[in-house]
Amino acid sequence: MTAIESGRRSDRLDHARRLAEGGDLDGAAAIFAELAADEAAPDRGEAGEGLSVVVERMAERLLEDGEPERAADILLEALSVSAVADPARLRVLLGMAHLEMACAQFAGAVEDSRQEGADAGTGALAIELLARTLPLRGRDGDAETVWRYGLDHPDPALAEQVRLRLGRDVRPVMEGVVEA
């Protein structure tokens, strides 16, 4: 690699940083990803760090905006780059995106359970899964609303199944662990 080529790479890294600082996270991520994917790049590690930071910001923003599918897509793309820094943090964000998508699917199943002749067991399961998943995303109040909806459901069979599901202990059995 010549000094000119090295300078161009450094210029591209600086350009990606300026894009990120200016709010063009997509443009910055594209450059960081390209540089981080190049195994011969001398600034591959820096590009991997930049990619991680930019993608984390993008994913957090998308999750806040209610776009978990897009967040998951960009996280998966970033995680496919072996030089990406802090893959554990990006995987946690990917899990959060999947939790949001799961909540949406569970909520859709709860809505479907309102139909005449809907299976009470499936409706009760959807209510339980939604109500138990929402607190993982910091939405305790919404979880309480979902439980209340299930308990007050006009279908007595569904309401009874929700009552049974609410009362069951779902904590894992952990022998030898002292509870604080």
Side-chain angles (χ1 to χ4, degrees):
M1 176 180 288
T2 67
I4 293 172
E5 289 172 333
S6 177
R8 285 185 187 144
R9 284 197 193 283
S10 184
D11 288 347
R12 293 192 66 218
L13 195 59
D14 289 340
H15 180 64
R17 288 183 183 127
R18 284 192 302 276
L19 288 174
E21 290 167 3
D24 183 358
L25 300 180
D26 288 323
I31 294 170
F32 283 137
E34 182 182 332
L35 293 173
D38 183 352
E39 294 184 21
D43 46 14
R44 184 175 188 220
E46 288 179 67
E49 289 174 21
L51 177 61
S52 184
V53 169
V54 168
V55 167
E56 182 177 339
R57 285 171 53 192
M58 292 170 70
E60 287 173 345
R61 187 173 297 154
L62 288 166
L63 286 171
E64 288 172 11
D65 292 345
E67 297 186 58
E69 296 88 357
R70 286 193 54 215
D73 288 345
I74 65 158
L75 288 161
L76 285 169
E77 192 172 327
L79 286 164
S80 73
V81 177
S82 63
V84 70
D86 203 4
R89 174 68 182 153
L90 299 183
R91 289 186 191 287
V92 168
L93 286 168
L94 178 60
M96 291 167 58
H98 283 285
L99 281 174
E100 287 295 326
M101 290 186 286
C103 285
Q105 292 303 314
F106 298 148
V110 169
E111 287 297 317
D112 292 345
S113 73
R114 292 181 177 194
Q115 297 176 11
E116 186 73 31
D119 178 53
T122 300
L125 176 61
I127 288 167
E128 178 186 19
L129 291 172
L130 180 58
R132 293 197 189 278
T133 304
L134 286 168
L136 296 173
R137 295 294 295 129
R139 298 169 56 189
D140 294 352
D142 291 340
E144 186 177 331
T145 300
V146 171
W147 281 122
R148 178 60 40 214
Y149 168 80
L151 294 170
D152 296 339
H153 200 277
D155 179 346
L158 188 143
E160 179 58 26
Q161 286 190 33
V162 169
R163 194 173 286 85
L164 294 171
R165 289 174 178 280
L166 177 61
R168 70 188 183 114
D169 187 359
V170 294
R171 293 176 296 173
V173 175
M174 298 179 64
E175 294 181 27
V177 176
V178 178
E179 289 188 30

